[in-house]
Amino acid sequence: MTTFDFFQVVLYLAVLLVLIKPVGDYMALAFAETPNRVNRFGAPVERLLYRLAGIRADEQMGWRRYAIAMLVFNMAGMLAVYVLQRVQHWLPLNPQHFDNLSPDLAMNTAISFITNTNWQAYGGENTMSYLTQMVGLAVQNFMSAATGIAVLLAVVRGFTRRSANSVGNFWIDITRSTLYVLVPFSLVIALLLSSQGVVQNFKSYVDVPLMQNTTAVETVKDAAGNTMKDAAGKDMTKESVVTTQTLPMGPAASQIAIKQLGTNGGGFFNANSAHPYENPTPFSNFIEMLAIFLIPGGLCVTFGSMVGDRRQGWAILATMLLIFVPLAYGCIGAEQAGNPALHGLAVDQQASALQAGGNMEGKETRFGIAASGLFATITTAASCGAVNTAHDSLTPLGGLVPMWLIQLGEVIFGGVGSGLYGMLAFAVVAVFIAGLMVGRTPEYLGKKIEAHEMKMASLAVLVPCALVVICTAIAVLTPAGVAGVGNPGAHAFSEILYAVSSATNNNGSAFGGLSANTPFWNVLLAVCMYLSRFMLAIAMLAMAGSLAAKRHVPPSAGTLPTHTPLFVTLLACVVIVVGALTFLPALALGPIAEFLMSVR
């Protein structure tokens, strides 16, 4: 790894850490229950929205009612997005006259966007109308991110409230998350991206002449769309001269801003942040990477402020960085080392020339290896799923890093809100383990951790793990599952394992060799996305309701301090051990086996 590569990571982390505290403090004011300079400013708009929606701002909800409101709200969003996709051909703002989506693809996409996964089994620029992109997908980018923040706020209130039977009001939490955080932050990011050349218009696609004509070979199909065969039984092909290129247009910048900021990841174009219209310059690339971690990192500071001990938030943030930084350098280093299979070429001089710059396959030259590897690590640590490089083209060990970050449960920063409440589930497990070591009832933030809390935390930690291994096994053993892989052997298994891990942990990125737009994959991954997102959220809300009803326990000589380096180390070890014990056998069959085969 070069000094420049090392500097890029350091610069990114330095800017991030400078911004995290003011962003976190601002969000703490925005979500505070007492009036302050932030929520007073937006109070008229807030009151108007409540009046229009028939919401009582002074009403509190128990955890069950909170969970029901969350589920109903997201089910309504899912239905709206599904219907919009099924009728887009007859609606306005469809200059390319794109057809309606199939039922299974529309269902998969609707669930994908309401769960903050944004798994895309389609190409945006040749499938979705502008109206579908804006009114359906972009709106759910806001709503799914706001849902994650709302659940986090309810969980935090579980720790802060004493002998209470409520955890807040879902409608107020989702309104404030959108009004005070997601909309203004997205506006700033969108303007920055537009300044770099990210497109934002409603024009039809533009055909431009090529500077040099080329020849394309395509298969001949009949009226039914079936490939025609010649007398020898081979596919019939024809050559045609290509003189123009079609440039896609559309309102991209506004969607890219919230896709990054809300850790959604669903690109306006199929190539996502590798597309020059989504991410044209190194500066736009830096802005997009910064936006991914900005709110998840800031929420750690918000958490510390809301529980009355800022050290708690910094301890959680330190745990995330302790795991993230070595993995980021590991991914970049693996890509800089190049593909180990090329080192064994008979023509040594050619192999050396190919590897001189590291593994550049699938990467944009305007970003290079370090920025591509860092982006891949950030997007999979943060449950975003946006990509500026082809993850399928990463080296075996380089691809292992983003895959394992996803499998850790998307708690290393993780999704907006969901990453932090997932980490809090791990924190509860960590203090329980510490309590077993010393023979005391564990405590966390002044609340005793007893059987009910441990059951809910265990569900939150283990449900995604179970779904990944079970659904991967189903896909591998089903002909319709293996039919979609584009490569043989260990890499094919990696493609399946990555897809199921990504969907289950609400990431959304993919190893591109898997053809996932089939009824089997659309249904399987939709089930993974839905169950993992909402089972985990409900488990955490149930834990919050139990904690809110308890009295505060003053710290004693036997209380484990949860803001010290010792607890940071313990928490990091718990996250790593759970991820390693669950997925090491599967990783051994995929990227590890692929690496060993490439170096023999």
Side-chain angles (χ1 to χ4, degrees):
M1 184 180 297
T2 65
T3 303
F4 180 68
D5 298 336
F6 179 82
F7 174 75
Q8 285 193 63
V9 179
V10 172
L11 175 64
Y12 173 79
L13 292 175
V15 175
L16 178 69
L17 291 174
V18 167
L19 293 176
I20 275 177
K21 188 178 185 303
V23 168
D25 289 339
Y26 168 82
M27 289 191 291
L29 292 173
F31 302 138
E33 297 182 358
T34 55
N36 57 67
R37 63 182 182 274
V38 172
N39 53 36
R40 268 205 200 102
F41 178 76
V45 177
E46 198 177 342
R47 285 195 297 269
L48 176 62
L49 292 173
Y50 297 153
R51 189 176 298 112
L52 292 174
I55 296 169
R56 289 177 51 192
D58 59 344
E59 189 175 22
Q60 292 289 301
M61 297 179 177
W63 78 264
R64 290 182 179 83
R65 190 177 170 198
Y66 199 102
I68 291 171
M70 175 196 68
L71 290 173
V72 169
F73 177 76
N74 282 277
M75 285 295 290
M78 181 181 72
L79 181 62
V81 176
Y82 177 82
V83 171
L84 190 58
Q85 294 173 92
R86 297 286 289 138
V87 299
Q88 72 170 9
H89 182 69
W90 303 298
L91 297 177
L93 292 178
N94 185 8
Q96 301 306 116
H97 307 291
F98 290 139
D99 203 357
N100 303 325
L101 275 67
S102 65
D104 58 294
L105 179 57
M107 178 270 298
N108 177 280
T109 305
I111 292 178
S112 173
F113 275 78
I114 68 159
T115 58
N116 201 242
T117 309
N118 297 50
W119 172 270
Q120 294 177 285
Y122 62 89
E125 68 266 44
N126 53 33
T127 307
M128 298 291 185
S129 70
Y130 294 166
L131 186 70
T132 303
Q133 295 264 33
M134 291 189 303
V135 177
L137 307 186
V139 167
Q140 288 308 310
N141 281 348
F142 283 96
M143 296 300 101
S144 62
T147 297
I149 296 175
V151 174
L152 171 65
L153 295 175
V155 172
V156 174
R157 292 190 193 106
F159 289 106
T160 59
R161 293 187 175 181
R162 305 178 182 184
S163 302
N165 58 5
S166 64
V167 292
N169 186 312
F170 174 77
W171 307 113
I172 293 175
D173 290 341
I174 201 168
T175 300
R176 290 186 170 182
S177 299
T178 306
L179 181 63
Y180 298 136
V181 178
L182 297 175
V183 169
F185 286 15
S186 295
L187 179 61
V188 173
I189 299 296
L191 291 174
L192 288 173
L193 293 177
S194 296
S195 74
Q196 296 301 298
V198 178
V199 297
Q200 180 72 19
N201 57 49
F202 292 100
K203 295 180 180 178
S204 299
Y205 291 5
V206 179
D207 289 330
V208 297
L210 295 176
M211 296 184 67
Q212 181 177 351
N213 294 344
T214 184
T215 302
V217 179
E218 56 184 338
T219 56
V220 179
K221 297 185 178 181
D222 59 21
N226 300 316
T227 301
M228 300 180 65
K229 307 287 184 180
D230 59 18
K234 297 181 179 179
D235 292 349
M236 294 179 62
T237 61
K238 64 177 181 180
E239 291 187 355
S240 57
V241 178
V242 180
T243 60
T244 62
Q245 178 183 2
T246 301
L247 302 181
M249 298 284 119
S254 55
Q255 184 166 324
I256 306 313
I258 186 58
K259 108 175 178 187
Q260 303 296 109
L261 198 65
T263 62
N264 298 282
F268 194 91
F269 303 110
N270 190 36
N272 208 280
S273 288
H275 198 291
Y277 285 4
E278 282 199 23
N279 190 8
T281 68
F283 181 68
S284 69
N285 190 65
F286 188 83
I287 292 297
E288 291 192 17
M289 289 193 296
L290 199 61
I292 295 174
F293 273 180
L294 188 62
I295 294 179
L299 283 172
C300 293
V301 178
T302 304
F303 166 70
S305 179
M306 291 181 71
V307 299
D309 186 353
R310 288 180 175 271
R311 298 173 299 176
Q312 303 293 338
W314 290 114
I316 296 292
L317 181 62
T319 304
M320 295 174 176
L321 290 172
L322 182 63
I323 299 174
F324 170 77
V325 173
L327 290 177
Y329 279 118
C331 182
I332 296 171
E335 294 306 299
Q336 287 285 20
N339 191 332
L342 295 179
H343 294 310
L345 288 177
V347 185
D348 295 334
Q349 185 176 1
Q350 179 185 4
S352 299
L354 288 170
Q355 296 291 281
N359 176 36
M360 277 297 294
E361 180 188 348
K363 297 178 178 63
E364 289 294 311
T365 54
R366 66 184 185 275
F367 303 140
I369 288 177
S372 299
L374 180 59
F375 198 113
T377 313
I378 291 170
T379 194
T380 48
S383 182
C384 181
V387 295
N388 76 345
T389 187
H391 287 196
D392 200 40
S393 294
L394 297 173
T395 61
L397 295 185
L400 183 148
V401 170
M403 188 186 303
W404 195 50
L405 275 168
I406 293 172
Q407 291 166 346
L408 289 178
E410 296 287 22
V411 295
I412 312 306
F413 289 90
V416 169
S418 61
L420 183 51
Y421 67 68
M423 181 61 89
L424 291 176
F426 275 102
V428 168
V429 173
V431 297
F432 181 78
I433 292 172
L436 291 177
M437 292 179 180
V438 297
R440 287 180 56 90
T441 301
E443 302 167 11
Y444 187 53
L445 302 177
K447 296 296 180 76
K448 286 189 177 295
I449 305 301
E450 297 174 309
H452 180 74
E453 290 77 35
M454 273 308 302
K455 290 176 183 177
M456 295 302 103
S458 298
L459 279 175
V461 169
L462 296 179
V463 163
C465 297
L467 280 173
V468 169
V469 295
I470 291 171
C471 292
T472 298
I474 292 172
V476 170
L477 295 174
T478 306
V482 296
V485 295
N487 296 280
H491 195 76
F493 179 76
S494 294
E495 290 174 351
I496 293 174
L497 178 62
Y498 192 105
V500 177
S501 301
S502 177
T504 302
N505 290 284
N506 303 132
N507 184 269
S509 63
F511 271 17
L514 179 69
S515 298
N517 187 15
T518 64
F520 173 83
W521 279 109
N522 283 334
V523 172
L524 179 71
L525 297 183
V527 170
C528 290
M529 290 184 283
Y530 192 88
L531 290 180
S532 181
R533 171 74 165 185
F534 294 113
M535 286 182 70
L536 195 155
I538 292 171
M540 294 303 296
L541 287 172
M543 185 173 73
S546 175
L547 290 170
K550 294 185 176 185
R551 292 177 297 178
H552 185 266
V553 180
S556 64
T559 301
L560 172 69
T562 53
H563 58 268
T564 62
L566 175 63
F567 181 74
V568 168
T569 304
L570 174 63
L571 180 55
C573 288
V574 169
V575 174
I576 291 171
V577 167
V578 170
L581 290 179
T582 306
F583 297 108
L584 186 58
L587 294 171
L589 295 174
I592 296 175
E594 187 180 359
F595 171 76
L596 294 176
M597 288 188 293
S598 65
V599 297
R600 63 182 179 178

